[in-house]
Amino acid sequence: MGFSCRIPCVKPLLNNRQRQKRLAWAKDKKDWTAAEWSKVMFSDESKFCISFGNQGPRVWRKRGEAQNPRCLRSSVKFPQSVMVWGAMSSAGVGPLCFLRSRVNAAVYQDVLEHFMLPAADQLYGDADFIFQQDLAPAHSAKATSTWFKDHGIPVLNWPANSPDLNPIENLWGIVKRKMRYARPNNAEELKATIRATWALITPEQCHRPIDSMPRRIAAVIQAKGAPTKY
């Protein structure tokens, strides 16, 4: 009958109010061109975990070797992990920031001061840009809004629970796929691997997902605010 068994795609849970806001946002931005989207600096945080003993989905083994350490995939109850903040534009990626503590408004403003501003200089020079961020509490705090006003940086309004609209998610996916078979032994080695892999991202890999923004917005409108394939 044409059915096949597949693992469901994981998408954020959206209530009706959030869907309506996504739809309204998409309709407001539907006439933006790819050139206009190239003026946006997209940002996000992502979590990376040490994958102990990850040898891929399958192993070659003989009868009786099921418990051979070479044939096992180890699991760890609380694997070491790091949280990373990054930014990107059509011109490429900015420097990464490894977050050491829970991100409150003060910590986030420190990230903006020491990582976002240098990224803006690197990616835009003296040209104007718009900064994108999600609606995390530290991002939407009054003190953070004041920081942006004091620095004269416009912030793109953004709908909640909308990773499918953020091109930087594609870059996190690229980095994690490239690191699939990496073997970091501790958090410092994990950070070094992330930095090295992030540095290999090309401007073309950044331009492609940003160039898809008009199509992403059209998909949101077609889905009436529901999650899209992106």
Side-chain angles (χ1 to χ4, degrees):
M1 295 178 67
F3 288 97
S4 60
C5 184
R6 295 288 186 271
I7 297 174
C9 295
V10 178
K11 297 288 184 178
L13 179 63
L14 294 168
N15 57 38
N16 185 62
R17 185 164 176 260
Q18 290 170 334
R19 287 195 298 271
Q20 292 304 315
K21 286 192 172 184
R22 275 167 55 90
L23 180 59
W25 183 90
K27 287 181 176 179
D28 182 61
K29 301 292 188 292
K30 66 182 176 63
D31 294 326
W32 279 35
T33 64
E36 288 176 294
W37 284 111
S38 69
K39 298 178 181 178
V40 178
M41 181 195 292
F42 293 90
S43 70
D44 190 30
E45 295 94 22
S46 188
K47 185 178 182 180
F48 288 77
C49 296
I50 290 180
S51 184
F52 292 101
N54 180 8
Q55 299 182 26
R58 295 177 183 271
V59 295
W60 290 96
R61 73 187 189 201
K62 296 179 181 179
R63 184 185 296 274
E65 290 186 337
Q67 303 306 315
N68 187 312
R70 178 178 59 82
C71 302
L72 296 176
R73 183 177 179 183
S74 302
S75 64
V76 179
K77 209 168 194 180
F78 303 106
Q80 285 185 283
S81 64
V82 295
M83 186 66 74
V84 189
W85 178 93
M88 55 91 79
S89 76
S90 287
V93 298
L96 291 177
C97 174
F98 292 93
L99 303 168
R100 296 182 178 181
S101 60
R102 186 174 180 179
V103 180
N104 55 27
V107 171
Y108 185 58
Q109 289 161 44
D110 192 59
V111 172
L112 296 173
E113 190 77 40
H114 296 97
F115 292 90
M116 189 276 282
L117 291 180
D121 289 339
Q122 173 186 326
L123 298 172
Y124 292 95
D126 294 330
D128 293 333
F129 72 96
I130 303 171
F131 185 67
Q132 179 276 336
Q133 60 181 2
D134 62 26
L135 299 182
H139 303 178
S140 55
K142 288 184 178 179
T144 302
S145 298
T146 300
W147 187 94
F148 281 113
K149 290 178 182 177
D150 291 344
H151 287 77
I153 298 173
V155 178
L156 182 69
N157 63 311
W158 195 253
N161 287 350
S162 298
D164 55 340
L165 290 170
N166 195 344
I168 201 172
E169 295 289 350
N170 297 83
L171 301 194
W172 294 134
I174 289 171
V175 172
K176 290 177 180 180
R177 283 194 298 274
K178 287 181 177 293
M179 290 177 55
R180 185 174 298 168
Y181 299 105
R183 298 289 186 273
N185 295 306
N186 52 52
E188 290 307 312
E189 289 185 11
L190 177 59
K191 290 178 183 179
T193 304
I194 296 169
R195 284 194 190 96
T197 310
W198 182 257
L200 296 176
I201 292 177
T202 65
E204 290 76 18
Q205 288 174 308
C206 297
H207 178 77
R208 198 176 301 120
I210 291 179
D211 196 49
S212 73
M213 284 302 296
R215 298 192 295 276
R216 294 174 190 241
I217 288 170
V220 171
I221 294 173
Q222 184 176 7
K224 295 181 170 56
T228 67
K229 68 176 183 178
Y230 292 96

